[in-house]
Amino acid sequence: MKEYKTLTREKVDVDLTVVKYFTSETHLMQDWSDKMIDLVLNGVTLNGFKKDEVREMLRETYEALKRYEMIGPMASPFLNDPPAIVARAFRELYPCTEYIAQLVPDLRDESGAAVYGETLFPSDGSTPVVSISAEAPISAAPELLAHELAHVVAGEDAGHGPEWKAAEEAIFKRYNEILEAMIPSDTAEAVITPHKAGDGGIVAMITRANVPEPHGDDWKLTTCPDCGAECWETDLTRQALAAEPALRAACTLCALKGGAHRE
């Protein structure tokens, strides 16, 4: 159950096609003068204002508010807050799936080991709780949140199986689409396709914030050359880099942003 109230409704959206039925020309609210907006909000009467103009103002406000409320109970002060964009991507993909997210200092699992992310499913079936370590690097926050939200989608017993992996990749894909729309770049849209020799591109390294301990003797700690996040470089990564000089390595998130090709 949500811990906050929203003014917009899940099943009600602004229908762009109804504008053709308006009987008079309307303007975007951003083109209104301060005096006109003040009169609509605080004037003693709306006499003289066209009904369609006021309706368009309400529609524009509702649409913007619904996008805002997708994030959650609080909005970020940052224009490009990556975790907020992850939260928006998740809400657009899974509008009926609820969760509670929190930052936790010194986050530890049931055995007492330090972890960077954890999702708890209450035994009473209530809303899952996503916890992200407050000690994790800020650059790792979007990847950590996407990782845990994929657990929310897949369910408690799914582990890191195919359903979890599909959810994580869907969240990352939508995240990059939103980010690209917010901050257009000259590069091609980021896509994930099977890698072929000669393609070049970026080898995605496992982020330490996501997997704190190495899973093999060949895992060596390094840093992402783009964002500085700690990553695990494996023998497979080193072999790929040695075999194909056009390749470079980066953390998973930076690889996705850069339009990485990965197997």
Side-chain angles (χ1 to χ4, degrees):
M1 189 172 182
K2 288 181 179 177
E3 299 295 320
Y4 60 97
K5 294 181 179 180
T6 57
L7 296 177
T8 57
R9 309 299 174 85
E10 181 180 323
K11 297 182 179 180
V12 180
D13 292 306
V14 171
D15 184 355
L16 298 178
T17 63
V18 304
V19 176
K20 61 186 178 183
Y21 299 113
F22 286 9
T23 58
S24 59
E25 182 183 2
T26 60
H27 303 84
L28 294 176
M29 194 168 63
Q30 65 193 38
D31 298 325
W32 284 27
S33 67
D34 292 353
K35 183 178 180 180
M36 182 176 289
I37 294 175
D38 183 62
L39 284 172
V40 171
L41 295 176
N42 305 311
V44 296
T45 178
L46 286 179
N47 291 341
F49 286 98
K50 297 177 181 179
K51 178 182 70 175
D52 287 346
E53 195 81 8
V54 177
R55 281 190 67 192
E56 187 58 34
M57 174 186 178
L58 292 172
R59 285 159 52 80
E60 188 180 353
T61 303
Y62 183 93
E63 187 177 30
L65 179 60
K66 189 162 190 179
R67 288 196 302 268
Y68 172 92
E69 289 185 336
M70 279 182 177
I71 297 174
M74 294 183 292
S76 171
F78 302 105
L79 292 175
N80 59 338
D81 186 350
I85 299 173
V86 171
R88 175 180 165 185
F90 177 87
R91 185 58 60 209
E92 292 182 0
L93 291 168
Y94 310 101
C96 298
T97 304
E98 298 297 334
Y99 68 94
I100 297 171
Q102 59 184 358
L103 290 171
V104 179
D106 194 26
L107 181 63
R108 296 181 180 274
D109 61 17
E110 294 179 352
S111 68
V115 293
Y116 282 108
E118 183 178 56
T119 299
L120 297 178
F121 294 86
S123 58
D124 61 2
S126 56
T127 306
V129 178
V130 170
S131 298
I132 303 299
S133 172
E135 278 78 36
I138 191 171
S139 59
E143 184 177 356
L144 288 169
L145 182 57
H147 179 106
E148 299 304 328
L149 290 180
H151 281 301
V152 173
V153 175
E156 185 173 11
D157 300 324
H160 294 107
E163 188 176 359
W164 170 84
K165 188 62 177 176
E168 186 189 47
E169 290 184 350
I171 294 169
F172 271 128
K173 181 176 183 294
R174 184 62 191 133
Y175 168 90
N176 280 280
E177 290 171 349
I178 295 172
L179 193 64
E180 181 68 20
M182 293 174 61
I183 312 174
S185 65
D186 295 332
T187 59
E189 181 181 356
V191 294
I192 300 175
T193 58
H195 179 76
K196 297 177 182 178
D199 282 348
I202 309 171
V203 178
M205 297 186 291
I206 299 169
T207 310
R208 188 182 185 187
N210 200 13
V211 182
E213 301 298 329
H215 285 197
D217 294 338
D218 64 304
W219 286 36
K220 306 300 181 185
L221 195 60
T222 185
T223 57
C224 172
D226 292 345
C227 70
E230 291 187 313
C231 302
W232 296 110
E233 184 186 76
T234 66
D235 272 345
L236 184 61
T237 301
R238 289 188 286 273
Q239 290 170 17
L241 293 173
E244 194 170 346
L247 282 176
R248 68 184 185 89
C251 73
T252 304
L253 188 60
C254 289
L256 284 169
K257 286 180 178 178
H261 299 281
R262 71 179 184 187
E263 293 182 87

